[in-house]
Amino acid sequence: VRAHAEADERARGVEQAEAAELVAWFAAEATRRGLRTTPLVAGSYDGRARYRTRLTGWYVDRARTRAVDTDGRFHLLTVPASLRARLLGADPQPSPAPLVVGRGGRDGESMPLRTLLTRRLDAGDDWR
């Protein structure tokens, strides 16, 4: 059991390193292409509230729940609902990017990270 757990941990580490490289590539390429950055906004887990953040970058999904900041870090932009966040803004921390976004979701809702980022780059500033 321990050997399987260690093998899973190593595989996760390799996946996270590869995904981090893709995210860094995306940020560099978006900057090189001159894609306009935007202030990133986080949403509450229940979807009822939106909070400003100190982050700027690019949303990479249409739901605006995943983004890459200008430093090349991946963010899930969902946070717990709170009065503090309403008054002072939310502070979502970077998280490891998955190589397959939406893995484990319903059919048709998962996509390789490379495909998601490439589509976002190809859409340019007209992306909505």
Side-chain angles (χ1 to χ4, degrees), residues 12-111:
R12 251 189 314 278
V14 169
E15 181 177 312
Q16 288 175 356
E18 187 177 339
E21 287 179 19
L22 283 171
V23 169
W25 164 80
F26 171 84
E29 186 65 15
T31 301
R32 186 187 72 74
R33 292 185 187 192
L35 263 64
R36 187 175 52 246
T37 59
T38 186
L40 300 176
V41 176
S44 62
Y45 292 141
D46 63 11
R48 294 182 182 168
R50 305 287 289 167
Y51 308 111
R52 59 188 152 68
T53 71
R54 294 186 188 123
L55 302 170
T56 57
W58 306 271
Y59 292 105
V60 295
D61 66 346
R62 296 196 189 280
R64 296 179 171 241
T65 58
R66 296 174 183 95
V68 175
D69 69 14
T70 54
D71 293 329
R73 299 175 300 183
F74 183 82
H75 292 271
L76 290 176
L77 295 174
T78 52
V79 296
S82 76
L83 178 60
R84 184 177 196 285
R86 172 84 57 202
L87 297 174
L88 303 174
D91 187 26
Q93 297 301 305
S95 58
L99 274 180
V100 178
V101 176
R103 181 184 290 159
R106 296 183 299 207
D107 287 345
E109 290 186 354
S110 63
M111 177 182 299

